């Protein structure tokens, strides 16, 4: 039975996590019919194309799904989105997937584009399902213009790839911002990225002594709470063992495990980086029997027996980062683990059964409330509020007569509330 203070710690983790949830953000929606809806939107893990909104009307707990083609605009947590039928360059940008210019492709559909700056010429952004960012500009009172960007293959030679990035978006910017000629040199060098473009537009506003009437709010950091469950394969391996001692190899056991975690995600441009604090409970048992044929006879059966059982609570702390932003983002993680070993039993012995009588010789170990440390590494895929992670860890424990290396590999499913 777990000690009382472990239950207390897990309870605190649960209650703090629940209190820290902030996925539902205040929102105002305008439908394509002009109807205005007020309530909250679950904006969890928005980092790519938004296809639908999970909306909860004010004063109700009912969750509705609103599809982007049915909307005109919406504001969530002071971030403003405009919905329009727009065309973007859908040609791949990853070096290994580049195509020749004549194979350029486009994609047209209703898109929710996010307002970055509002002023004489406003700037918007949109991230597609391949994690490519696209930018749009709009003169005050005018139509929205796609700032076209593409990367195309020129040649491939051995391990080198040669490509080109036409200056189409820079030519568009020179035309849009032509009443500030001193920016031409800066436009010719500007990168197709959010921060450089925002700075360029702010300098353009300064040309006419204007300021942005809206700026994208800085993303706030925050806590989220989740639960974890999965299966873990535990493999004990003896790096050192006393001379003449009974030795076993090929040991392993696959068992269920469960836990909970708190995640703090940083704000601003560091929003893809987080720190994760977790509690994880594991219990596993490994048994093995190896027959000894030299002593065997009709009345005698000899074998070497192995038994290993452990129950432990792991306290985990470490960083994680979203490596690939897409419809299913890829996340990498690492953590340091403090193991509170609640119960550890191990036996290695020779067993002889002769005419029904059992004789055993060997060693038995029994530890409780001991400590251990380990490191883990993992990679996972985020699917909505859920996540599947492949995690591996290793720990080295030194005892009086042997050294135990304990390896764990698990598939973990997580859900964040």
């Amino acid at each position: 039975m777990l000690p009382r203070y472990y239950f207390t710690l897990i309870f605190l983790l649960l209650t703090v996590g629940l209190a820290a949830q902030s996925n539902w953000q205040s929102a105002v929606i305008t439908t394509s019919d002009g109807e205005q809806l007020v309530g909250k939107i679950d904006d969890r893990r928005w980092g790519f194309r938004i296809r639908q909104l999970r909306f909860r009307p004010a004063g109700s707990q009912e969750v509705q799904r609103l599809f982007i083609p049915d909307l005109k605009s919406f504001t969530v947590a002071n971030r403003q989105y405009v919905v329009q039928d727009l065309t973007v360059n859908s040609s791949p940008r990853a070096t290994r997937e580049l195509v020749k210019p004549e194979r350029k492709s486009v994609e047209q559909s209703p898109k929710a584009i996010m307002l970055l700056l509002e002023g004489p010429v406003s700037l918007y952004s949109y991230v597609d399902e391949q994690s490519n960012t696209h930018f749009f500009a709009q003169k005050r009172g005018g139509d929205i213009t796609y700032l076209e960007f593409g990367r195309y293959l020129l040649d491939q030679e051995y391990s080198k790839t040669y490509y080109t990035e036409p200056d189409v978006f820079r030519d568009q910017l020179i035309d849009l911002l032509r009443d500030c000629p001193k920016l031409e040199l800066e436009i010719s060098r500007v990168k197709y990225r959010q921060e450089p473009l925002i700075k360029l537009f702010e300098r353009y506003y300064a040309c006419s002594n204007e300021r942005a009437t809206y700026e994208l709010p800085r993303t706030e950091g925050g806590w989220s709470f989740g639960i974890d469950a999965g299966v873990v394969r535990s493999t004990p391996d003896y790096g050192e063992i006393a001379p003449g001692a009974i030795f076993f190899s090929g040991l392993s056991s696959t068992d269920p495990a469960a836990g909970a975690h708190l995640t703090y995600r940083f704000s601003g441009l560091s929003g893809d980086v987080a720190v994760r604090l977790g509690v994880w409970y594991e219990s596993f048992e490994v048994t093995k029997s190896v027959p000894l044929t030299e002593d065997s006879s009709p009345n005698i059966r000899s074998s070497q027996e192995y038994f290993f059982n452990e129950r432990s609570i792991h306290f985990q702390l470490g960083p994680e980062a979203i490596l690939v932003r897409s419809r299913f983002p890829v996340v990498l993680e690492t953590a340091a683990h403090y193991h509170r070993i609640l119960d550890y039993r191990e036996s290695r012995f020779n067993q002889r059964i002769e005419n029904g009588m059992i004789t055993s010789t060997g060693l038995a170990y029994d530890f409780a409330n001991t400590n251990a440390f380990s490191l883990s590494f993992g990679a996972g895929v985020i699917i909505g509020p859920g996540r599947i992670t492949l995690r591996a860890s290793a720990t080295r424990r030194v005892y009086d007569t042997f050294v135990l290396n304990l390896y764990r590999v698990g598939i973990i499913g997580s859900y964040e509330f």
Side-chain angles (χ1 to χ4, degrees):
M1 195 159 181
L2 294 176
R4 182 179 300 175
Y5 57 86
Y6 287 119
F7 281 121
T8 303
L9 180 59
I10 294 172
F11 175 77
L12 288 174
L13 187 63
L14 293 172
T15 53
V16 171
L18 290 170
Q21 296 172 42
S22 57
N23 297 320
W24 290 96
Q25 308 283 354
S26 298
V28 177
I29 299 172
T30 301
T31 68
S32 55
D33 296 330
E35 181 184 3
Q36 191 172 82
L37 308 175
V38 178
K40 291 188 175 183
I41 288 176
D42 180 2
D43 66 347
R44 173 173 31 203
R45 303 207 182 285
W46 281 4
F48 50 92
R49 179 179 179 181
I50 304 170
R51 293 178 175 271
Q52 62 181 7
L53 307 181
R54 295 183 70 233
F55 176 69
R56 199 163 63 192
S60 172
Q61 294 299 313
E62 178 189 0
V63 177
Q64 302 175 3
R65 293 186 182 274
L66 306 178
F67 294 91
I68 291 302
D70 301 325
L71 306 179
K72 182 178 180 181
S73 65
F74 57 93
T75 299
V76 54
N78 296 319
R79 302 191 308 274
Q80 298 182 21
Y81 294 82
V82 173
V83 178
Q84 284 203 14
D85 191 66
L86 298 166
T87 300
V88 298
N89 183 350
S90 58
S91 303
R93 298 181 192 174
T95 304
R96 294 183 179 181
E97 302 173 3
L98 295 178
V99 298
K100 295 280 189 178
E102 57 269 21
R103 293 183 58 196
K104 167 187 169 182
S105 57
V106 298
E107 186 272 328
Q108 180 179 359
S109 64
K111 297 175 176 60
I113 60 175
M114 182 172 64
L115 181 61
L116 302 177
L117 278 179
E118 186 177 54
V121 180
S122 298
L123 179 66
Y124 299 84
S125 73
Y126 166 77
V127 181
D128 64 23
E129 292 181 355
Q130 284 70 47
S131 299
N132 294 326
T133 303
H134 305 267
F135 295 98
F136 301 81
Q138 181 184 32
K139 280 198 167 184
R140 188 175 284 154
D143 295 330
I144 293 176
T145 301
Y146 173 47
L147 300 177
E148 183 176 345
F149 176 82
R151 182 178 295 146
Y152 304 103
L153 178 67
L154 291 178
D155 195 13
Q156 287 181 320
E157 186 176 289
Y158 301 107
S159 60
K160 293 185 177 180
T161 299
Y162 300 92
Y163 61 85
T164 182
E165 295 178 355
D167 283 336
V168 178
F169 81 95
R170 294 189 181 97
D171 294 337
Q172 292 173 296
L173 287 171
I174 287 174
D175 181 58
L176 284 165
L177 311 181
R178 61 181 177 270
D179 46 345
C180 188
K182 67 181 183 180
L183 290 180
E184 285 194 16
L185 179 61
E186 184 174 348
I187 292 173
S188 68
R189 298 174 178 173
V190 71
K191 302 292 185 183
Y192 197 78
R193 295 201 301 265
Q194 182 168 309
E195 289 304 308
L197 287 172
I198 286 177
K199 290 179 180 177
L200 174 67
F201 275 59
E202 288 175 337
R203 290 191 180 97
Y204 172 73
Y205 298 165
C207 270
S208 54
N209 294 319
E210 292 196 55
R211 295 175 63 90
T213 55
Y214 170 86
E215 297 180 15
L216 178 69
R218 180 179 175 85
T219 303
E220 296 294 332
W223 291 93
S224 61
F225 164 73
I227 56 175
D228 310 289
V231 292
V232 177
R233 187 173 182 83
S234 304
T235 303
D237 178 72
Y238 294 90
E240 299 175 20
I241 198 165
I246 302 171
F247 176 78
F248 288 83
S249 61
L251 305 168
S252 64
S253 175
T254 302
D255 304 275
H261 66 268
L262 284 175
T263 302
Y264 180 81
R265 194 161 299 281
F266 293 97
S267 60
L269 297 177
S270 302
D272 285 350
V273 179
V275 173
R276 185 181 177 104
L277 170 66
V279 175
W280 185 250
Y281 176 76
E282 289 187 15
S283 175
F284 68 94
E285 180 178 301
V286 182
T287 60
K288 189 169 186 177
S289 178
V290 179
L292 299 176
T293 56
E294 60 270 20
D295 292 334
S296 295
S297 69
N299 297 322
I300 301 173
R301 193 172 63 210
S302 298
S303 62
Q304 289 185 333
E305 302 293 329
Y306 178 87
F307 173 80
F308 188 153
N309 171 263
E310 177 178 300
R311 295 185 305 113
S312 58
I313 289 183
H314 303 190
F315 300 93
Q316 310 160 350
L317 178 64
E320 63 177 45
I322 294 176
L323 185 66
V324 178
R325 270 282 182 193
S326 64
R327 185 175 182 183
F328 302 111
V330 176
V331 61
L332 296 182
E333 63 168 41
T334 183
H337 295 238
Y338 166 74
H339 302 217
R340 184 65 171 174
I341 301 172
L342 306 175
D343 186 34
Y344 174 101
R345 293 186 176 90
E346 178 185 341
S347 299
R348 284 181 267 131
F349 57 92
N350 288 318
Q351 180 173 273
R352 180 183 174 91
I353 304 176
E354 184 175 358
N355 296 321
M357 296 188 64
I358 300 176
T359 304
S360 299
T361 58
L363 295 173
Y365 305 93
D366 193 344
F367 305 107
N369 296 326
T370 57
N371 306 319
F373 298 89
S374 68
L375 289 175
S376 70
F377 299 90
V381 177
I382 297 171
I383 307 172
R387 172 167 148 184
I388 299 175
T389 303
L390 177 65
R391 182 182 299 157
S393 67
T395 182
R396 179 179 173 86
R397 302 179 188 171
V398 179
Y399 297 99
D400 291 339
T401 58
F402 63 94
V403 173
L404 172 65
N405 300 315
L406 185 57
Y407 303 101
R408 290 182 171 98
V409 177
I411 298 178
I412 313 303
S414 303
Y415 187 90
E416 290 200 357
F417 294 92

